[in-house]
Amino acid sequence: MTATLAAQTANENTSEATTEQDAASVKAAKQERVFSLINKSSKFLDVFALSWVTPILMMAAGDSPKRNLSLIWQRLGIPIVAILVFLFAWAQLAPQVNTSLGAIPGPAQVWEQAQVLNADHAQEMERRDAFYERLAARNQALIDAGRPGDVSDAGYTGRPTYYQQIWTSLKTVFFGFFLATLIAAPLGIIMGMSPSMNAAFNPLIQIFKPVSPLAWLPIVTMVVSATVATDSGISKSFLTSAITVTLCSLWPTLINTALGVATVDKDLVNVGKVLKLTPYTKVTKLVLPSALPLIFTGMRLSLGVGWMVLIAAEMLAQNPGLGKFVWDEFQNGSSNSLAKIIVAVLTIGIIGFLLDRVMVALQTMFTHSVNR
């Protein structure tokens, strides 16, 4: 009887141990799946400069805190400390540099003027809304009086705000970049697939690639003024800036596309010949998938070049946008002008960074390259 009870107890203990092992195995497998999911999502976090989120998620999922805290410090702590050191040095050194407009403003003065620009935008939007409300009331009164012919659809003509000038610059750079891509990508594919075409276009590329936007701008201005009618509905200043961006930013995409197509694996090219693929199928099924990483690299460079070129073009031609805002503040010469110019400089840099991140995100979506 005693032996039977002992055997039953041993079986129960063994069963409990097996159950605990099974539960631990299930928990470990679940944790591994979570780790795998976090690792897969980490590449998308890296694209948006959020790589420091990955170790936080890993710790939350039960991974070793020691290793992940070290990664958080490296990816988030050190950059924050570097920024704080920069701000401290800026705040201490800026007042010691005197200019014709006064001392260089520190971070506090720049932040204050950023708030002023935001408040100016809000006030201008209120004035615009009030204008359209008065216009709508006036038009309704004319209609009620039986004078629909006197109804006016005049637009608000207030000064552009800081945010509106940012939006103008973004529209211009994307339009110019889109034109550059439409020209550069097909031409680059042709050059990459044909050594003869590459030899024909390469000298022209080497001649025009180094030309400064300041040299293109007068030519573009004269051509646009001579060919675009005033009442065409398209702003001449917009076209001038956009075409200047196009002429200066198409070269990186053109060169990288030609290089990417020219370096496609020869085995793939031979397969296309064996299968007797049409030129269109060969390009879309064999050439483009292999060349896309380099094409996107060229597009990233082109967009960055286009953004820099646009600011210079807007300053020189006094076309609407961030460049004109900087020049106007420089000419204004008020005590707050330097702070507003620094706000614009920081804005230009942040937007440039975000544009690059957008291109990296697109590259991640459409290619399998790990190169960033």
Side-chain angles (χ1 to χ4, degrees), residues 47-345:
V47 166
F48 297 102
L50 297 174
S51 59
W52 52 272
V53 175
T54 301
I56 294 177
L57 296 176
M58 294 293 284
M59 281 197 302
D63 198 15
S64 168
K66 182 177 180 181
R67 182 174 66 87
N68 287 294
L69 286 174
S70 176
L71 289 174
I72 293 173
W73 168 250
Q74 181 181 2
R75 298 177 182 180
L76 181 62
I78 293 177
I80 289 177
V81 170
I83 292 173
L84 292 176
V85 170
F86 168 75
L87 292 175
F88 177 78
W90 177 12
Q92 296 300 314
L93 298 176
Q96 301 179 24
V97 181
N98 290 311
T99 69
S100 59
L101 299 179
I104 297 293
Q109 291 85 354
V110 171
W111 174 248
E112 180 183 346
Q113 291 307 309
Q115 293 177 309
V116 168
L117 291 172
N118 181 70
D120 288 345
H121 172 77
Q123 292 174 1
E124 188 66 22
M125 292 302 97
E126 290 176 0
R127 285 193 288 267
R128 185 196 64 179
D129 294 340
F131 169 81
Y132 283 118
E133 288 177 3
R134 291 194 301 270
L135 181 65
R138 175 183 177 275
N139 288 338
Q140 186 61 46
L142 290 172
I143 293 173
D144 294 342
R147 298 163 53 193
D150 295 332
V151 169
S152 172
D153 58 351
Y156 182 65
T157 57
R159 61 182 179 84
T161 67
Y162 185 64
Y163 294 146
Q164 289 173 329
Q165 293 186 79
I166 292 175
W167 177 237
T168 298
S169 292
L170 286 174
K171 288 190 296 183
T172 306
V173 76
F174 275 118
F175 185 78
F177 170 71
F178 179 72
L179 286 181
T181 304
L182 283 182
I183 297 170
L187 186 57
I189 292 173
I190 294 172
M191 290 174 58
M193 296 180 67
S194 171
S196 299
M197 296 298 291
N198 185 67
F201 281 102
N202 190 58
L204 298 175
I205 293 173
Q206 300 307 320
I207 291 172
F208 290 115
K209 179 167 67 72
V211 176
S212 167
L214 304 183
W216 283 118
L217 188 58
I219 299 174
V220 174
T221 301
M222 289 186 289
V223 171
V224 169
S225 298
T227 57
V228 178
T230 304
D231 57 352
S232 62
I234 302 177
S235 170
K236 290 185 178 182
S237 61
F238 173 81
L239 278 181
T240 300
S241 297
I243 294 174
T244 304
V245 169
T246 299
L247 290 174
C248 295
S249 66
L250 63 86
W251 311 113
T253 299
L254 177 58
I255 294 171
N256 278 272
T257 301
L259 178 61
V261 172
T263 55
V264 171
D265 192 342
K266 299 303 178 185
D267 291 338
L268 289 176
V269 177
N270 293 332
V271 168
K273 292 179 180 178
V274 171
L275 297 177
K276 297 181 180 180
L277 299 178
T278 63
Y280 175 79
T281 304
K282 180 180 178 181
V283 169
T284 55
K285 301 298 183 182
L286 298 180
V287 173
L288 278 182
S290 300
L292 269 181
L294 271 176
I295 294 174
F296 270 104
T297 299
M299 291 171 65
R300 285 176 62 190
L301 294 172
S302 289
L303 187 55
V305 169
W307 182 241
M308 290 187 294
V309 164
L310 174 65
I311 302 304
E314 288 174 344
M315 289 181 67
L316 184 65
Q318 287 293 281
N319 293 335
L322 274 174
K324 186 177 186 299
F325 172 84
V326 172
W327 185 256
D328 288 344
E329 289 299 329
F330 174 72
Q331 294 293 328
N332 182 23
S334 70
S335 57
N336 296 321
S337 291
L338 273 178
K340 290 181 179 179
I341 290 173
I342 294 176
V343 171
V345 168

Side-chain angles (χ1 to χ4, degrees), residues 38-53:
I38 293 173
N39 287 327
K40 288 180 180 179
S41 63
S42 64
K43 66 177 182 178
F44 296 101
L45 294 172
D46 293 346
V47 166
F48 297 102
L50 297 174
S51 59
W52 52 272
V53 175

